[in-house]
mmCIF file of all heavy atoms in Angstrom:
data_model
loop_
_atom_site.group_PDB
_atom_site.id
_atom_site.type_symbol
_atom_site.label_atom_id
_atom_site.label_comp_id
_atom_site.label_asym_id
_atom_site.label_seq_id
_atom_site.Cartn_x
_atom_site.Cartn_y
_atom_site.Cartn_z
ATOM 1 N N PHE A 47 2.485 -5.550 1.581
ATOM 2 C CA PHE A 47 1.923 -6.876 1.336
ATOM 3 C C PHE A 47 3.041 -7.794 0.842
ATOM 4 O O PHE A 47 3.709 -7.470 -0.143
ATOM 5 C CB PHE A 47 0.809 -6.697 0.293
ATOM 6 C CG PHE A 47 0.176 -7.953 -0.241
ATOM 7 C CD1 PHE A 47 0.049 -9.099 0.533
ATOM 8 C CD2 PHE A 47 -0.321 -7.991 -1.541
ATOM 9 C CE1 PHE A 47 -0.551 -10.239 0.036
ATOM 10 C CE2 PHE A 47 -0.931 -9.121 -2.060
ATOM 11 C CZ PHE A 47 -1.037 -10.252 -1.263
ATOM 12 N N GLU A 49 3.554 -11.664 -0.243
ATOM 13 C CA GLU A 49 2.899 -12.953 -0.522
ATOM 14 C C GLU A 49 3.942 -13.989 -0.938
ATOM 15 O O GLU A 49 5.006 -13.637 -1.475
ATOM 16 C CB GLU A 49 1.875 -12.748 -1.649
ATOM 17 C CG GLU A 49 1.130 -14.015 -2.038
ATOM 18 C CD GLU A 49 -0.106 -13.765 -2.917
ATOM 19 O OE1 GLU A 49 -0.246 -12.653 -3.458
ATOM 20 O OE2 GLU A 49 -0.913 -14.705 -3.046
ATOM 21 N N LEU A 51 4.958 -15.581 -3.479
ATOM 22 C CA LEU A 51 4.717 -15.383 -4.914
ATOM 23 C C LEU A 51 6.060 -15.008 -5.533
ATOM 24 O O LEU A 51 6.676 -14.015 -5.099
ATOM 25 C CB LEU A 51 3.685 -14.256 -5.072
ATOM 26 C CG LEU A 51 3.009 -13.977 -6.407
ATOM 27 C CD1 LEU A 51 1.954 -12.900 -6.274
ATOM 28 C CD2 LEU A 51 3.917 -13.721 -7.550
ATOM 29 N N ARG A 90 1.068 -7.475 5.430
ATOM 30 C CA ARG A 90 0.041 -8.495 5.181
ATOM 31 C C ARG A 90 0.716 -9.750 4.632
ATOM 32 O O ARG A 90 1.504 -9.675 3.679
ATOM 33 C CB ARG A 90 -0.974 -7.926 4.184
ATOM 34 C CG ARG A 90 -2.112 -8.846 3.834
ATOM 35 C CD ARG A 90 -3.168 -8.068 3.056
ATOM 36 N NE ARG A 90 -4.289 -8.905 2.700
ATOM 37 C CZ ARG A 90 -4.537 -9.352 1.470
ATOM 38 N NH1 ARG A 90 -3.737 -9.035 0.477
ATOM 39 N NH2 ARG A 90 -5.575 -10.124 1.242
ATOM 40 N N GLY A 93 -0.715 -14.197 1.958
ATOM 41 C CA GLY A 93 -1.287 -13.870 0.650
ATOM 42 C C GLY A 93 -2.452 -12.962 0.916
ATOM 43 O O GLY A 93 -2.704 -12.616 2.082
ATOM 44 N N GLY A 94 -3.151 -12.585 -0.114
ATOM 45 C CA GLY A 94 -3.234 -13.046 -1.453
ATOM 46 C C GLY A 94 -3.896 -14.422 -1.615
ATOM 47 O O GLY A 94 -4.342 -15.075 -0.677
ATOM 48 N N CYS A 95 -4.016 -14.766 -2.892
ATOM 49 C CA CYS A 95 -4.596 -16.067 -3.248
ATOM 50 C C CYS A 95 -3.887 -17.193 -2.513
ATOM 51 O O CYS A 95 -4.504 -18.215 -2.175
ATOM 52 C CB CYS A 95 -4.508 -16.283 -4.756
ATOM 53 S SG CYS A 95 -5.397 -15.050 -5.724
ATOM 54 N N PHE A 96 -2.590 -17.020 -2.256
ATOM 55 C CA PHE A 96 -1.825 -18.067 -1.574
ATOM 56 C C PHE A 96 -2.416 -18.376 -0.192
ATOM 57 O O PHE A 96 -2.401 -19.526 0.259
ATOM 58 C CB PHE A 96 -0.362 -17.612 -1.437
ATOM 59 C CG PHE A 96 0.525 -18.620 -0.752
ATOM 60 C CD1 PHE A 96 1.087 -19.668 -1.471
ATOM 61 C CD2 PHE A 96 0.809 -18.518 0.600
ATOM 62 C CE1 PHE A 96 1.907 -20.610 -0.842
ATOM 63 C CE2 PHE A 96 1.624 -19.441 1.237
ATOM 64 C CZ PHE A 96 2.173 -20.492 0.508
ATOM 65 N N ALA A 97 -2.961 -17.346 0.464
ATOM 66 C CA ALA A 97 -3.432 -17.509 1.853
ATOM 67 C C ALA A 97 -4.546 -18.544 1.952
ATOM 68 O O ALA A 97 -4.652 -19.258 2.957
ATOM 69 C CB ALA A 97 -3.911 -16.173 2.399
ATOM 70 N N ASN A 119 -1.035 -21.381 -7.439
ATOM 71 C CA ASN A 119 -1.466 -20.042 -7.874
ATOM 72 C C ASN A 119 -0.399 -19.319 -8.664
ATOM 73 O O ASN A 119 -0.693 -18.597 -9.605
ATOM 74 C CB ASN A 119 -1.784 -19.171 -6.654
ATOM 75 C CG ASN A 119 -3.168 -19.427 -6.127
ATOM 76 O OD1 ASN A 119 -4.139 -19.176 -6.817
ATOM 77 N ND2 ASN A 119 -3.252 -19.961 -4.926
ATOM 78 N N TRP A 120 0.840 -19.473 -8.214
ATOM 79 C CA TRP A 120 1.897 -18.596 -8.701
ATOM 80 C C TRP A 120 3.058 -19.368 -9.306
ATOM 81 O O TRP A 120 4.034 -19.655 -8.628
ATOM 82 C CB TRP A 120 2.366 -17.656 -7.579
ATOM 83 C CG TRP A 120 1.222 -16.872 -7.020
ATOM 84 C CD1 TRP A 120 0.751 -16.898 -5.743
ATOM 85 C CD2 TRP A 120 0.375 -15.950 -7.736
ATOM 86 N NE1 TRP A 120 -0.325 -16.060 -5.611
ATOM 87 C CE2 TRP A 120 -0.577 -15.460 -6.816
ATOM 88 C CE3 TRP A 120 0.314 -15.496 -9.049
ATOM 89 C CZ2 TRP A 120 -1.574 -14.548 -7.181
ATOM 90 C CZ3 TRP A 120 -0.680 -14.585 -9.409
ATOM 91 C CH2 TRP A 120 -1.597 -14.121 -8.490
ATOM 92 N N ASN A 196 -9.410 -14.003 1.562
ATOM 93 C CA ASN A 196 -8.881 -13.093 0.548
ATOM 94 C C ASN A 196 -9.681 -13.268 -0.737
ATOM 95 O O ASN A 196 -9.835 -14.404 -1.224
ATOM 96 C CB ASN A 196 -7.404 -13.415 0.259
ATOM 97 C CG ASN A 196 -6.878 -12.640 -0.938
ATOM 98 O OD1 ASN A 196 -6.627 -11.447 -0.858
ATOM 99 N ND2 ASN A 196 -6.738 -13.322 -2.080
ATOM 100 N N GLU A 197 -10.180 -12.189 -1.265
ATOM 101 C CA GLU A 197 -10.936 -12.235 -2.526
ATOM 102 C C GLU A 197 -11.826 -13.478 -2.569
ATOM 103 O O GLU A 197 -11.756 -14.289 -3.509
ATOM 104 C CB GLU A 197 -9.985 -12.157 -3.731
ATOM 105 C CG GLU A 197 -9.209 -10.854 -3.758
ATOM 106 C CD GLU A 197 -8.425 -10.580 -5.037
ATOM 107 O OE1 GLU A 197 -8.398 -11.431 -5.930
ATOM 108 O OE2 GLU A 197 -7.843 -9.478 -5.129
ATOM 109 N N TRP A 199 -14.712 -13.830 -3.307
ATOM 110 C CA TRP A 199 -15.592 -13.823 -4.485
ATOM 111 C C TRP A 199 -14.867 -14.309 -5.729
ATOM 112 O O TRP A 199 -15.444 -14.428 -6.791
ATOM 113 C CB TRP A 199 -16.133 -12.404 -4.733
ATOM 114 C CG TRP A 199 -15.180 -11.321 -4.321
ATOM 115 C CD1 TRP A 199 -15.169 -10.669 -3.123
ATOM 116 C CD2 TRP A 199 -14.058 -10.795 -5.063
ATOM 117 N NE1 TRP A 199 -14.124 -9.771 -3.074
ATOM 118 C CE2 TRP A 199 -13.428 -9.821 -4.249
ATOM 119 C CE3 TRP A 199 -13.524 -11.047 -6.330
ATOM 120 C CZ2 TRP A 199 -12.298 -9.102 -4.649
ATOM 121 C CZ3 TRP A 199 -12.399 -10.337 -6.731
ATOM 122 C CH2 TRP A 199 -11.797 -9.381 -5.901
ATOM 123 N N ASP A 200 -13.550 -14.602 -5.598
ATOM 124 C CA ASP A 200 -12.766 -14.980 -6.780
ATOM 125 C C ASP A 200 -11.817 -16.115 -6.394
ATOM 126 O O ASP A 200 -12.259 -17.214 -6.085
ATOM 127 C CB ASP A 200 -12.031 -13.732 -7.290
ATOM 128 C CG ASP A 200 -11.384 -13.925 -8.645
ATOM 129 O OD1 ASP A 200 -12.016 -14.553 -9.509
ATOM 130 O OD2 ASP A 200 -10.246 -13.469 -8.844
ATOM 131 N N CYS A 201 -10.500 -15.834 -6.340
ATOM 132 C CA CYS A 201 -9.552 -16.934 -6.084
ATOM 133 C C CYS A 201 -9.729 -17.553 -4.703
ATOM 134 O O CYS A 201 -9.300 -18.674 -4.457
ATOM 135 C CB CYS A 201 -8.105 -16.474 -6.282
ATOM 136 S SG CYS A 201 -7.494 -15.341 -5.013
ATOM 137 N N HIS A 271 -9.893 -4.239 -2.958
ATOM 138 C CA HIS A 271 -8.747 -4.516 -3.831
ATOM 139 C C HIS A 271 -8.943 -3.783 -5.145
ATOM 140 O O HIS A 271 -9.985 -3.918 -5.788
ATOM 141 C CB HIS A 271 -8.619 -6.021 -4.110
ATOM 142 C CG HIS A 271 -8.123 -6.786 -2.926
ATOM 143 N ND1 HIS A 271 -7.829 -8.123 -2.962
ATOM 144 C CD2 HIS A 271 -7.851 -6.385 -1.663
ATOM 145 C CE1 HIS A 271 -7.402 -8.510 -1.769
ATOM 146 N NE2 HIS A 271 -7.420 -7.467 -0.963
ATOM 147 N N TYR A 273 -6.370 -2.708 -8.515
ATOM 148 C CA TYR A 273 -5.083 -2.519 -9.181
ATOM 149 C C TYR A 273 -5.222 -1.519 -10.324
ATOM 150 O O TYR A 273 -6.285 -1.408 -10.937
ATOM 151 C CB TYR A 273 -4.577 -3.854 -9.739
ATOM 152 C CG TYR A 273 -4.066 -4.782 -8.656
ATOM 153 C CD1 TYR A 273 -4.888 -5.755 -8.090
ATOM 154 C CD2 TYR A 273 -2.771 -4.663 -8.192
ATOM 155 C CE1 TYR A 273 -4.421 -6.594 -7.086
ATOM 156 C CE2 TYR A 273 -2.287 -5.499 -7.187
ATOM 157 C CZ TYR A 273 -3.117 -6.455 -6.636
ATOM 158 O OH TYR A 273 -2.640 -7.270 -5.639
ATOM 159 N N TRP A 278 -7.636 -6.030 -18.141
ATOM 160 C CA TRP A 278 -7.049 -7.348 -17.893
ATOM 161 C C TRP A 278 -6.970 -8.122 -19.193
ATOM 162 O O TRP A 278 -7.873 -7.992 -20.019
ATOM 163 C CB TRP A 278 -7.912 -8.136 -16.883
ATOM 164 C CG TRP A 278 -7.923 -7.490 -15.540
ATOM 165 C CD1 TRP A 278 -8.872 -6.641 -15.045
ATOM 166 C CD2 TRP A 278 -6.926 -7.622 -14.519
ATOM 167 N NE1 TRP A 278 -8.534 -6.234 -13.782
ATOM 168 C CE2 TRP A 278 -7.351 -6.820 -13.432
ATOM 169 C CE3 TRP A 278 -5.720 -8.336 -14.408
ATOM 170 C CZ2 TRP A 278 -6.617 -6.716 -12.249
ATOM 171 C CZ3 TRP A 278 -4.995 -8.230 -13.233
ATOM 172 C CH2 TRP A 278 -5.440 -7.428 -12.183
ATOM 173 N N GLU A 328 -4.940 -4.255 -1.166
ATOM 174 C CA GLU A 328 -4.169 -4.563 -2.382
ATOM 175 C C GLU A 328 -4.379 -3.415 -3.356
ATOM 176 O O GLU A 328 -5.505 -3.201 -3.827
ATOM 177 C CB GLU A 328 -4.597 -5.889 -3.019
ATOM 178 C CG GLU A 328 -4.113 -7.092 -2.235
ATOM 179 C CD GLU A 328 -4.316 -8.423 -2.950
ATOM 180 O OE1 GLU A 328 -4.292 -8.451 -4.201
ATOM 181 O OE2 GLU A 328 -4.512 -9.429 -2.246
ATOM 182 N N TRP A 332 -0.180 -2.923 -11.957
ATOM 183 C CA TRP A 332 0.036 -4.321 -12.387
ATOM 184 C C TRP A 332 0.284 -4.274 -13.890
ATOM 185 O O TRP A 332 -0.634 -4.017 -14.674
ATOM 186 C CB TRP A 332 -1.190 -5.153 -12.040
ATOM 187 C CG TRP A 332 -1.025 -6.642 -12.187
ATOM 188 C CD1 TRP A 332 -0.278 -7.299 -13.106
ATOM 189 C CD2 TRP A 332 -1.645 -7.643 -11.379
ATOM 190 N NE1 TRP A 332 -0.386 -8.652 -12.930
ATOM 191 C CE2 TRP A 332 -1.223 -8.898 -11.868
ATOM 192 C CE3 TRP A 332 -2.523 -7.629 -10.297
ATOM 193 C CZ2 TRP A 332 -1.649 -10.109 -11.318
ATOM 194 C CZ3 TRP A 332 -2.956 -8.834 -9.748
ATOM 195 C CH2 TRP A 332 -2.519 -10.057 -10.249
ATOM 196 N N LEU A 344 4.996 -12.417 -11.602
ATOM 197 C CA LEU A 344 4.584 -10.999 -11.603
ATOM 198 C C LEU A 344 5.754 -10.043 -11.390
ATOM 199 O O LEU A 344 5.733 -9.180 -10.492
ATOM 200 C CB LEU A 344 3.491 -10.761 -10.550
ATOM 201 C CG LEU A 344 2.312 -11.747 -10.532
ATOM 202 C CD1 LEU A 344 1.237 -11.269 -9.555
ATOM 203 C CD2 LEU A 344 1.692 -11.956 -11.892
ATOM 204 N N ALA A 376 0.730 -3.513 -3.223
ATOM 205 C CA ALA A 376 1.091 -4.835 -3.714
ATOM 206 C C ALA A 376 2.232 -4.671 -4.729
ATOM 207 O O ALA A 376 2.007 -4.038 -5.750
ATOM 208 C CB ALA A 376 -0.115 -5.500 -4.363
ATOM 209 N N GLN A 377 3.351 -5.265 -4.367
ATOM 210 C CA GLN A 377 3.715 -5.926 -3.126
ATOM 211 C C GLN A 377 5.051 -5.378 -2.634
ATOM 212 O O GLN A 377 5.588 -4.475 -3.254
ATOM 213 C CB GLN A 377 3.782 -7.417 -3.355
ATOM 214 C CG GLN A 377 2.422 -8.027 -3.732
ATOM 215 C CD GLN A 377 2.380 -9.550 -3.620
ATOM 216 O OE1 GLN A 377 3.323 -10.187 -3.191
ATOM 217 N NE2 GLN A 377 1.264 -10.148 -4.043
ATOM 218 N N VAL A 381 7.841 -8.178 -6.548
ATOM 219 C CA VAL A 381 6.545 -8.552 -7.125
ATOM 220 C C VAL A 381 5.729 -7.280 -7.356
ATOM 221 O O VAL A 381 5.623 -6.438 -6.456
ATOM 222 C CB VAL A 381 5.771 -9.496 -6.171
ATOM 223 C CG1 VAL A 381 4.393 -9.827 -6.728
ATOM 224 C CG2 VAL A 381 6.558 -10.776 -5.894
ATOM 225 N N LEU A 382 5.138 -7.154 -8.550
ATOM 226 C CA LEU A 382 4.290 -6.004 -8.889
ATOM 227 C C LEU A 382 4.978 -4.686 -8.514
ATOM 228 O O LEU A 382 6.160 -4.521 -8.770
ATOM 229 C CB LEU A 382 2.896 -6.168 -8.246
ATOM 230 C CG LEU A 382 2.114 -7.407 -8.736
ATOM 231 C CD1 LEU A 382 0.785 -7.545 -7.999
ATOM 232 C CD2 LEU A 382 1.847 -7.362 -10.231
HETATM 233 O O1 AHR B 601 -1.165 -9.518 -5.612
HETATM 234 C C1 AHR B 601 -1.364 -10.573 -6.483
HETATM 235 C C2 AHR B 601 -2.756 -11.185 -6.356
HETATM 236 O O2 AHR B 601 -3.719 -10.265 -6.743
HETATM 237 C C3 AHR B 601 -3.199 -11.593 -4.970
HETATM 238 O O3 AHR B 601 -2.699 -12.838 -4.599
HETATM 239 C C4 AHR B 601 -4.685 -11.634 -5.104
HETATM 240 O O4 AHR B 601 -5.343 -11.389 -3.893
HETATM 241 C C5 AHR B 601 -4.973 -10.579 -6.150
HETATM 242 O O5 AHR B 601 -5.840 -11.028 -7.117
#
Side-chain angles (χ1 to χ4, degrees):
F47 173 32
E49 180 167 15
L51 192 175
R90 181 169 180 253
C95 299
F96 180 84
N119 278 296
W120 304 118
N196 171 74
E197 298 190 356
W199 32 265
D200 190 41
C201 71
H271 287 185
Y273 286 95
W278 295 97
E328 286 190 30
W332 191 326
L344 312 187
Q377 296 195 4
V381 177
L382 298 177

